[in-house]
Amino acid sequence: MHKNKTLSAWLAFLGGPLGLHRFYLHGLGDTVGWLLPIPTAMGLYGIERVLQYGVDDGWSWVLIPLLGFTWAGCALTAIVYGLSTPEKWNGRHNPGGPADAHSGHTGWLTIGAVTCALLVGATVLMSSIAFSFQRYFEYQIEEASKISQ
């Protein structure tokens, strides 16, 4: 069965945090595919903690970036899949077929997946970094004010 580059890029972008692209490309026995939902679930738990305890909850600012970094990594994977050449794609994921098989070609849907992954992935990555650093520096200021009193 030929692995389609466009479908792989969309699965990495939309279902990457659940490991769907890994299962499509490597089968249900893929360890990384089974591990990807763990940081996703931990990040969702961090969001749940913010809703319950507020933004000052220490665990939430540790857990939420896990979701963001996982999603950004999957978006990067979608970009790498979408921008790979047909020869490289087919050589790696369709080794029994011809190097120029249609399943490795880039079309408008592939470009759409790459564009969406770039927009959303960059936004999620920068938001996760900003959230992490903001909470970290606020915590440092609070601790410094406790020491100075």
Side-chain angles (χ1 to χ4, degrees):
M1 179 174 143
H2 286 284
K3 307 296 183 193
N4 188 292
K5 177 169 77 169
T6 303
L7 179 59
S8 298
W10 278 108
L11 284 174
F13 171 59
L14 295 174
L18 300 176
L20 297 182
H21 64 293
R22 300 285 306 188
F23 296 136
Y24 174 69
L25 292 173
H26 305 288
L28 290 176
D30 185 55
T31 305
V32 175
W34 288 109
L35 292 176
L36 273 171
I38 295 171
T40 302
M42 291 172 69
L44 290 172
Y45 177 64
I47 292 172
E48 180 68 27
R49 287 187 64 95
V50 165
L51 295 175
Q52 286 180 348
Y53 305 114
V55 294
D56 293 332
D57 178 50
W59 277 106
S60 66
W61 61 265
V62 172
L63 295 173
I64 289 175
L66 291 175
L67 176 63
F69 294 144
T70 302
W71 201 305
C74 291
L76 178 62
T77 302
I79 293 168
V80 169
Y81 287 170
L83 295 180
S84 65
T85 63
E87 294 80 19
K88 184 176 178 182
W89 178 265
N90 288 323
R92 184 168 190 182
H93 298 289
N94 301 317
D100 62 346
H102 185 68
S103 58
H105 284 218
T106 302
W108 284 108
L109 287 175
T110 313
I111 299 302
V114 169
T115 304
C116 290
L118 181 60
L119 291 171
V120 173
T123 302
V124 167
L125 178 62
M126 296 310 293
S127 299
S128 297
I129 291 171
F131 181 81
S132 297
F133 282 125
Q134 177 185 355
R135 293 288 159 221
Y136 173 74
F137 288 123
E138 286 176 355
Y139 175 76
Q140 291 297 319
I141 290 170
E142 289 173 8
E143 291 300 313
S145 66
K146 288 179 186 175
I147 292 173
S148 66
Q149 291 178 357

mmCIF file with all atom_site columns, all heavy atoms in Angstrom, residues 132-147:
data_model
loop_
_atom_site.group_PDB
_atom_site.id
_atom_site.type_symbol
_atom_site.label_atom_id
_atom_site.label_alt_id
_atom_site.label_comp_id
_atom_site.label_asym_id
_atom_site.label_entity_id
_atom_site.label_seq_id
_atom_site.pdbx_PDB_ins_code
_atom_site.Cartn_x
_atom_site.Cartn_y
_atom_site.Cartn_z
_atom_site.occupancy
_atom_site.B_iso_or_equiv
_atom_site.pdbx_formal_charge
_atom_site.auth_seq_id
_atom_site.auth_comp_id
_atom_site.auth_asym_id
_atom_site.auth_atom_id
_atom_site.pdbx_PDB_model_num
ATOM 1   N N   . SER A 1 132 ? 5.241  30.129 29.025 1.00 0.00 ? 132 SER A N   1
ATOM 2   C CA  . SER A 1 132 ? 6.211  29.536 29.954 1.00 0.00 ? 132 SER A CA  1
ATOM 3   C C   . SER A 1 132 ? 7.078  30.599 30.600 1.00 0.00 ? 132 SER A C   1
ATOM 4   O O   . SER A 1 132 ? 7.247  30.616 31.819 1.00 0.00 ? 132 SER A O   1
ATOM 5   C CB  . SER A 1 132 ? 7.114  28.550 29.218 1.00 0.00 ? 132 SER A CB  1
ATOM 6   O OG  . SER A 1 132 ? 6.376  27.494 28.710 1.00 0.00 ? 132 SER A OG  1
ATOM 7   N N   . PHE A 1 133 ? 7.639  31.485 29.795 1.00 0.00 ? 133 PHE A N   1
ATOM 8   C CA  . PHE A 1 133 ? 8.533  32.493 30.338 1.00 0.00 ? 133 PHE A CA  1
ATOM 9   C C   . PHE A 1 133 ? 7.798  33.507 31.206 1.00 0.00 ? 133 PHE A C   1
ATOM 10  O O   . PHE A 1 133 ? 8.333  33.950 32.228 1.00 0.00 ? 133 PHE A O   1
ATOM 11  C CB  . PHE A 1 133 ? 9.311  33.197 29.229 1.00 0.00 ? 133 PHE A CB  1
ATOM 12  C CG  . PHE A 1 133 ? 10.449 32.379 28.704 1.00 0.00 ? 133 PHE A CG  1
ATOM 13  C CD1 . PHE A 1 133 ? 10.552 32.102 27.351 1.00 0.00 ? 133 PHE A CD1 1
ATOM 14  C CD2 . PHE A 1 133 ? 11.412 31.867 29.554 1.00 0.00 ? 133 PHE A CD2 1
ATOM 15  C CE1 . PHE A 1 133 ? 11.597 31.349 26.865 1.00 0.00 ? 133 PHE A CE1 1
ATOM 16  C CE2 . PHE A 1 133 ? 12.466 31.117 29.080 1.00 0.00 ? 133 PHE A CE2 1
ATOM 17  C CZ  . PHE A 1 133 ? 12.557 30.854 27.718 1.00 0.00 ? 133 PHE A CZ  1
ATOM 18  N N   . GLN A 1 134 ? 6.596  33.873 30.819 1.00 0.00 ? 134 GLN A N   1
ATOM 19  C CA  . GLN A 1 134 ? 5.837  34.817 31.640 1.00 0.00 ? 134 GLN A CA  1
ATOM 20  C C   . GLN A 1 134 ? 5.588  34.241 33.024 1.00 0.00 ? 134 GLN A C   1
ATOM 21  O O   . GLN A 1 134 ? 5.810  34.898 34.038 1.00 0.00 ? 134 GLN A O   1
ATOM 22  C CB  . GLN A 1 134 ? 4.509  35.164 30.977 1.00 0.00 ? 134 GLN A CB  1
ATOM 23  C CG  . GLN A 1 134 ? 3.666  36.090 31.832 1.00 0.00 ? 134 GLN A CG  1
ATOM 24  C CD  . GLN A 1 134 ? 2.296  36.343 31.228 1.00 0.00 ? 134 GLN A CD  1
ATOM 25  O OE1 . GLN A 1 134 ? 1.993  35.914 30.128 1.00 0.00 ? 134 GLN A OE1 1
ATOM 26  N NE2 . GLN A 1 134 ? 1.461  37.043 31.962 1.00 0.00 ? 134 GLN A NE2 1
ATOM 27  N N   . ARG A 1 135 ? 5.126  33.010 33.090 1.00 0.00 ? 135 ARG A N   1
ATOM 28  C CA  . ARG A 1 135 ? 4.853  32.384 34.378 1.00 0.00 ? 135 ARG A CA  1
ATOM 29  C C   . ARG A 1 135 ? 6.139  32.199 35.178 1.00 0.00 ? 135 ARG A C   1
ATOM 30  O O   . ARG A 1 135 ? 6.157  32.402 36.386 1.00 0.00 ? 135 ARG A O   1
ATOM 31  C CB  . ARG A 1 135 ? 4.165  31.028 34.188 1.00 0.00 ? 135 ARG A CB  1
ATOM 32  C CG  . ARG A 1 135 ? 2.796  31.150 33.621 1.00 0.00 ? 135 ARG A CG  1
ATOM 33  C CD  . ARG A 1 135 ? 1.862  31.719 34.666 1.00 0.00 ? 135 ARG A CD  1
ATOM 34  N NE  . ARG A 1 135 ? 0.718  32.276 34.002 1.00 0.00 ? 135 ARG A NE  1
ATOM 35  C CZ  . ARG A 1 135 ? 0.129  33.406 34.317 1.00 0.00 ? 135 ARG A CZ  1
ATOM 36  N NH1 . ARG A 1 135 ? 0.573  34.134 35.317 1.00 0.00 ? 135 ARG A NH1 1
ATOM 37  N NH2 . ARG A 1 135 ? -0.900 33.844 33.663 1.00 0.00 ? 135 ARG A NH2 1
ATOM 38  N N   . TYR A 1 136 ? 7.213  31.840 34.514 1.00 0.00 ? 136 TYR A N   1
ATOM 39  C CA  . TYR A 1 136 ? 8.482  31.640 35.205 1.00 0.00 ? 136 TYR A CA  1
ATOM 40  C C   . TYR A 1 136 ? 8.967  32.960 35.818 1.00 0.00 ? 136 TYR A C   1
ATOM 41  O O   . TYR A 1 136 ? 9.357  33.001 36.985 1.00 0.00 ? 136 TYR A O   1
ATOM 42  C CB  . TYR A 1 136 ? 9.534  31.084 34.244 1.00 0.00 ? 136 TYR A CB  1
ATOM 43  C CG  . TYR A 1 136 ? 10.908 31.005 34.858 1.00 0.00 ? 136 TYR A CG  1
ATOM 44  C CD1 . TYR A 1 136 ? 11.200 30.024 35.793 1.00 0.00 ? 136 TYR A CD1 1
ATOM 45  C CD2 . TYR A 1 136 ? 11.894 31.921 34.509 1.00 0.00 ? 136 TYR A CD2 1
ATOM 46  C CE1 . TYR A 1 136 ? 12.457 29.956 36.373 1.00 0.00 ? 136 TYR A CE1 1
ATOM 47  C CE2 . TYR A 1 136 ? 13.148 31.858 35.082 1.00 0.00 ? 136 TYR A CE2 1
ATOM 48  C CZ  . TYR A 1 136 ? 13.427 30.876 36.002 1.00 0.00 ? 136 TYR A CZ  1
ATOM 49  O OH  . TYR A 1 136 ? 14.667 30.812 36.572 1.00 0.00 ? 136 TYR A OH  1
ATOM 50  N N   . PHE A 1 137 ? 8.940  34.030 35.051 1.00 0.00 ? 137 PHE A N   1
ATOM 51  C CA  . PHE A 1 137 ? 9.435  35.308 35.568 1.00 0.00 ? 137 PHE A CA  1
ATOM 52  C C   . PHE A 1 137 ? 8.514  35.875 36.644 1.00 0.00 ? 137 PHE A C   1
ATOM 53  O O   . PHE A 1 137 ? 8.984  36.497 37.598 1.00 0.00 ? 137 PHE A O   1
ATOM 54  C CB  . PHE A 1 137 ? 9.653  36.304 34.436 1.00 0.00 ? 137 PHE A CB  1
ATOM 55  C CG  . PHE A 1 137 ? 10.844 35.962 33.590 1.00 0.00 ? 137 PHE A CG  1
ATOM 56  C CD1 . PHE A 1 137 ? 10.708 35.770 32.229 1.00 0.00 ? 137 PHE A CD1 1
ATOM 57  C CD2 . PHE A 1 137 ? 12.098 35.807 34.158 1.00 0.00 ? 137 PHE A CD2 1
ATOM 58  C CE1 . PHE A 1 137 ? 11.798 35.438 31.455 1.00 0.00 ? 137 PHE A CE1 1
ATOM 59  C CE2 . PHE A 1 137 ? 13.199 35.480 33.388 1.00 0.00 ? 137 PHE A CE2 1
ATOM 60  C CZ  . PHE A 1 137 ? 13.050 35.297 32.027 1.00 0.00 ? 137 PHE A CZ  1
ATOM 61  N N   . GLU A 1 138 ? 7.215  35.666 36.506 1.00 0.00 ? 138 GLU A N   1
ATOM 62  C CA  . GLU A 1 138 ? 6.304  36.101 37.571 1.00 0.00 ? 138 GLU A CA  1
ATOM 63  C C   . GLU A 1 138 ? 6.601  35.340 38.869 1.00 0.00 ? 138 GLU A C   1
ATOM 64  O O   . GLU A 1 138 ? 6.585  35.923 39.948 1.00 0.00 ? 138 GLU A O   1
ATOM 65  C CB  . GLU A 1 138 ? 4.856  35.892 37.159 1.00 0.00 ? 138 GLU A CB  1
ATOM 66  C CG  . GLU A 1 138 ? 4.369  36.887 36.132 1.00 0.00 ? 138 GLU A CG  1
ATOM 67  C CD  . GLU A 1 138 ? 2.958  36.591 35.659 1.00 0.00 ? 138 GLU A CD  1
ATOM 68  O OE1 . GLU A 1 138 ? 2.376  35.551 36.066 1.00 0.00 ? 138 GLU A OE1 1
ATOM 69  O OE2 . GLU A 1 138 ? 2.438  37.387 34.871 1.00 0.00 ? 138 GLU A OE2 1
ATOM 70  N N   . TYR A 1 139 ? 6.879  34.061 38.754 1.00 0.00 ? 139 TYR A N   1
ATOM 71  C CA  . TYR A 1 139 ? 7.225  33.260 39.924 1.00 0.00 ? 139 TYR A CA  1
ATOM 72  C C   . TYR A 1 139 ? 8.534  33.758 40.548 1.00 0.00 ? 139 TYR A C   1
ATOM 73  O O   . TYR A 1 139 ? 8.638  33.862 41.771 1.00 0.00 ? 139 TYR A O   1
ATOM 74  C CB  . TYR A 1 139 ? 7.353  31.785 39.515 1.00 0.00 ? 139 TYR A CB  1
ATOM 75  C CG  . TYR A 1 139 ? 7.831  30.890 40.618 1.00 0.00 ? 139 TYR A CG  1
ATOM 76  C CD1 . TYR A 1 139 ? 6.982  30.514 41.649 1.00 0.00 ? 139 TYR A CD1 1
ATOM 77  C CD2 . TYR A 1 139 ? 9.142  30.425 40.636 1.00 0.00 ? 139 TYR A CD2 1
ATOM 78  C CE1 . TYR A 1 139 ? 7.423  29.689 42.674 1.00 0.00 ? 139 TYR A CE1 1
ATOM 79  C CE2 . TYR A 1 139 ? 9.586  29.600 41.655 1.00 0.00 ? 139 TYR A CE2 1
ATOM 80  C CZ  . TYR A 1 139 ? 8.722  29.242 42.669 1.00 0.00 ? 139 TYR A CZ  1
ATOM 81  O OH  . TYR A 1 139 ? 9.163  28.427 43.674 1.00 0.00 ? 139 TYR A OH  1
ATOM 82  N N   . GLN A 1 140 ? 9.506  34.074 39.715 1.00 0.00 ? 140 GLN A N   1
ATOM 83  C CA  . GLN A 1 140 ? 10.785 34.581 40.228 1.00 0.00 ? 140 GLN A CA  1
ATOM 84  C C   . GLN A 1 140 ? 10.609 35.904 40.962 1.00 0.00 ? 140 GLN A C   1
ATOM 85  O O   . GLN A 1 140 ? 11.229 36.125 42.006 1.00 0.00 ? 140 GLN A O   1
ATOM 86  C CB  . GLN A 1 140 ? 11.791 34.744 39.086 1.00 0.00 ? 140 GLN A CB  1
ATOM 87  C CG  . GLN A 1 140 ? 12.257 33.449 38.484 1.00 0.00 ? 140 GLN A CG  1
ATOM 88  C CD  . GLN A 1 140 ? 12.995 32.580 39.481 1.00 0.00 ? 140 GLN A CD  1
ATOM 89  O OE1 . GLN A 1 140 ? 13.795 33.068 40.272 1.00 0.00 ? 140 GLN A OE1 1
ATOM 90  N NE2 . GLN A 1 140 ? 12.726 31.293 39.459 1.00 0.00 ? 140 GLN A NE2 1
ATOM 91  N N   . ILE A 1 141 ? 9.756  36.768 40.439 1.00 0.00 ? 141 ILE A N   1
ATOM 92  C CA  . ILE A 1 141 ? 9.506  38.062 41.089 1.00 0.00 ? 141 ILE A CA  1
ATOM 93  C C   . ILE A 1 141 ? 8.818  37.847 42.433 1.00 0.00 ? 141 ILE A C   1
ATOM 94  O O   . ILE A 1 141 ? 9.158  38.495 43.429 1.00 0.00 ? 141 ILE A O   1
ATOM 95  C CB  . ILE A 1 141 ? 8.682  38.986 40.166 1.00 0.00 ? 141 ILE A CB  1
ATOM 96  C CG1 . ILE A 1 141 ? 9.543  39.418 38.987 1.00 0.00 ? 141 ILE A CG1 1
ATOM 97  C CG2 . ILE A 1 141 ? 8.151  40.187 40.921 1.00 0.00 ? 141 ILE A CG2 1
ATOM 98  C CD1 . ILE A 1 141 ? 8.785  40.130 37.896 1.00 0.00 ? 141 ILE A CD1 1
ATOM 99  N N   . GLU A 1 142 ? 7.847  36.938 42.478 1.00 0.00 ? 142 GLU A N   1
ATOM 100 C CA  . GLU A 1 142 ? 7.163  36.649 43.740 1.00 0.00 ? 142 GLU A CA  1
ATOM 101 C C   . GLU A 1 142 ? 8.141  36.091 44.780 1.00 0.00 ? 142 GLU A C   1
ATOM 102 O O   . GLU A 1 142 ? 8.106  36.501 45.947 1.00 0.00 ? 142 GLU A O   1
ATOM 103 C CB  . GLU A 1 142 ? 6.030  35.644 43.495 1.00 0.00 ? 142 GLU A CB  1
ATOM 104 C CG  . GLU A 1 142 ? 4.860  36.205 42.745 1.00 0.00 ? 142 GLU A CG  1
ATOM 105 C CD  . GLU A 1 142 ? 3.845  35.132 42.381 1.00 0.00 ? 142 GLU A CD  1
ATOM 106 O OE1 . GLU A 1 142 ? 3.987  33.979 42.852 1.00 0.00 ? 142 GLU A OE1 1
ATOM 107 O OE2 . GLU A 1 142 ? 2.926  35.445 41.611 1.00 0.00 ? 142 GLU A OE2 1
ATOM 108 N N   . GLU A 1 143 ? 9.002  35.201 44.370 1.00 0.00 ? 143 GLU A N   1
ATOM 109 C CA  . GLU A 1 143 ? 9.964  34.621 45.296 1.00 0.00 ? 143 GLU A CA  1
ATOM 110 C C   . GLU A 1 143 ? 10.975 35.665 45.763 1.00 0.00 ? 143 GLU A C   1
ATOM 111 O O   . GLU A 1 143 ? 11.367 35.683 46.933 1.00 0.00 ? 143 GLU A O   1
ATOM 112 C CB  . GLU A 1 143 ? 10.682 33.426 44.658 1.00 0.00 ? 143 GLU A CB  1
ATOM 113 C CG  . GLU A 1 143 ? 9.782  32.230 44.437 1.00 0.00 ? 143 GLU A CG  1
ATOM 114 C CD  . GLU A 1 143 ? 9.168  31.703 45.722 1.00 0.00 ? 143 GLU A CD  1
ATOM 115 O OE1 . GLU A 1 143 ? 9.896  31.532 46.722 1.00 0.00 ? 143 GLU A OE1 1
ATOM 116 O OE2 . GLU A 1 143 ? 7.952  31.442 45.731 1.00 0.00 ? 143 GLU A OE2 1
ATOM 117 N N   . ALA A 1 144 ? 11.381 36.529 44.866 1.00 0.00 ? 144 ALA A N   1
ATOM 118 C CA  . ALA A 1 144 ? 12.338 37.585 45.246 1.00 0.00 ? 144 ALA A CA  1
ATOM 119 C C   . ALA A 1 144 ? 11.716 38.574 46.221 1.00 0.00 ? 144 ALA A C   1
ATOM 120 O O   . ALA A 1 144 ? 12.377 39.043 47.162 1.00 0.00 ? 144 ALA A O   1
ATOM 121 C CB  . ALA A 1 144 ? 12.833 38.320 43.998 1.00 0.00 ? 144 ALA A CB  1
ATOM 122 N N   . SER A 1 145 ? 10.429 38.875 46.029 1.00 0.00 ? 145 SER A N   1
ATOM 123 C CA  . SER A 1 145 ? 9.769  39.795 46.945 1.00 0.00 ? 145 SER A CA  1
ATOM 124 C C   . SER A 1 145 ? 9.590  39.147 48.327 1.00 0.00 ? 145 SER A C   1
ATOM 125 O O   . SER A 1 145 ? 9.635  39.829 49.342 1.00 0.00 ? 145 SER A O   1
ATOM 126 C CB  . SER A 1 145 ? 8.429  40.265 46.395 1.00 0.00 ? 145 SER A CB  1
ATOM 127 O OG  . SER A 1 145 ? 7.517  39.193 46.316 1.00 0.00 ? 145 SER A OG  1
ATOM 128 N N   . LYS A 1 146 ? 9.418  37.829 48.391 1.00 0.00 ? 146 LYS A N   1
ATOM 129 C CA  . LYS A 1 146 ? 9.322  37.136 49.683 1.00 0.00 ? 146 LYS A CA  1
ATOM 130 C C   . LYS A 1 146 ? 10.649 37.202 50.425 1.00 0.00 ? 146 LYS A C   1
ATOM 131 O O   . LYS A 1 146 ? 10.698 37.378 51.634 1.00 0.00 ? 146 LYS A O   1
ATOM 132 C CB  . LYS A 1 146 ? 8.924  35.674 49.474 1.00 0.00 ? 146 LYS A CB  1
ATOM 133 C CG  . LYS A 1 146 ? 7.491  35.472 49.052 1.00 0.00 ? 146 LYS A CG  1
ATOM 134 C CD  . LYS A 1 146 ? 7.230  33.995 48.843 1.00 0.00 ? 146 LYS A CD  1
ATOM 135 C CE  . LYS A 1 146 ? 5.849  33.753 48.277 1.00 0.00 ? 146 LYS A CE  1
ATOM 136 N NZ  . LYS A 1 146 ? 5.641  32.323 47.968 1.00 0.00 ? 146 LYS A NZ  1
ATOM 137 N N   . ILE A 1 147 ? 11.740 37.050 49.679 1.00 0.00 ? 147 ILE A N   1
ATOM 138 C CA  . ILE A 1 147 ? 13.068 37.086 50.292 1.00 0.00 ? 147 ILE A CA  1
ATOM 139 C C   . ILE A 1 147 ? 13.403 38.487 50.796 1.00 0.00 ? 147 ILE A C   1
ATOM 140 O O   . ILE A 1 147 ? 13.986 38.642 51.860 1.00 0.00 ? 147 ILE A O   1
ATOM 141 C CB  . ILE A 1 147 ? 14.132 36.601 49.277 1.00 0.00 ? 147 ILE A CB  1
ATOM 142 C CG1 . ILE A 1 147 ? 13.937 35.131 48.995 1.00 0.00 ? 147 ILE A CG1 1
ATOM 143 C CG2 . ILE A 1 147 ? 15.541 36.861 49.792 1.00 0.00 ? 147 ILE A CG2 1
ATOM 144 C CD1 . ILE A 1 147 ? 14.813 34.582 47.876 1.00 0.00 ? 147 ILE A CD1 1
#
